Amino acid sequence: MTEISFHFNAPNKVEHALKVMRKGHRLGARIVMVAPAELLSRLDQGLWVHFVQEFIPHARLGAAPEVISRSPVLLATAQDDLKASPHHEVLVSLCDEVVNGFGAFERVIEIVSTEEDDRQRARARWKSYADRGFAIERLDLAVAKESA
């Protein structure tokens, strides 16, 4: 069964997503990042410039097959067909709703900001996963930062 994790209290969702992708890449995970189109552009640019001493290979899900096969990180929107992705290890979501096709992944990470509207939408996603019988792990980034 798919593992579901919520990362709450992210001061900046894009920054946290980049950190998650970096950690996953270092661990050898193949990741699909799903976000609205405007955030994907920021994530794409961030993967080029955020980590000065390293490059995280990535591509859009619709790229040429030879590019996708060499890209451990794929960027997609919720409208993309995630079943077409060759990666099904980790799905990182910055979306407002549960992503269609999430069950094909071994793990789903939902990133939630400190904004009340985003937290409300996250509660609805949490309920949707719980109603389907998924166990959910909660990571409070504010507490994790304090203990670091």
Side-chain angles (χ1 to χ4, degrees):
M1 182 173 261
T2 302
E3 296 176 18
I4 310 290
S5 298
F6 276 76
H7 292 196
F8 280 97
N9 293 319
N12 181 314
K13 287 173 78 164
V14 171
E15 282 283 321
H16 187 68
L18 290 168
K19 289 176 185 176
V20 168
M21 286 189 283
R22 180 184 194 201
K23 182 178 180 180
H25 180 256
R26 286 182 168 182
L27 294 172
R30 297 181 70 75
I31 302 165
V32 176
M33 169 64 63
V34 180
E38 66 276 4
L39 286 182
L40 280 186
S41 295
R42 290 176 49 203
L43 289 162
D44 187 10
Q45 182 175 4
L47 286 167
W48 282 101
V49 300
H50 192 74
F51 306 110
V52 178
Q53 299 298 323
E54 64 187 292
F55 173 69
I56 299 173
H58 62 283
R60 300 278 176 135
L61 185 56
E66 61 274 9
V67 173
I68 288 177
S69 69
R70 291 185 299 241
S71 301
V73 173
L74 298 178
L75 305 176
T77 67
Q79 292 73 38
D80 289 327
D81 180 11
L82 298 182
K83 293 178 185 173
S85 169
H87 308 344
H88 291 100
E89 289 178 42
V90 181
L91 173 71
V92 180
S93 176
L94 277 74
C95 294
D96 291 339
E97 300 191 10
V98 172
V99 175
N100 287 330
F102 77 89
F105 291 81
E106 296 171 24
R107 183 168 187 207
V108 174
I109 299 172
E110 293 271 359
I111 299 176
V112 184
S113 74
T114 57
E115 296 175 17
E116 190 54 36
D117 288 351
D118 195 37
R119 295 170 65 82
Q120 288 296 331
R121 290 187 296 270
R123 288 181 185 109
R125 294 191 307 275
W126 181 297
K127 183 176 180 342
S128 178
Y129 290 124
D131 287 350
R132 297 175 192 188
F134 289 94
I136 303 168
E137 176 184 277
R138 176 188 167 108
L139 174 63
D140 187 337
L141 299 172
V143 172
K145 184 178 180 180
E146 290 172 7
S147 62

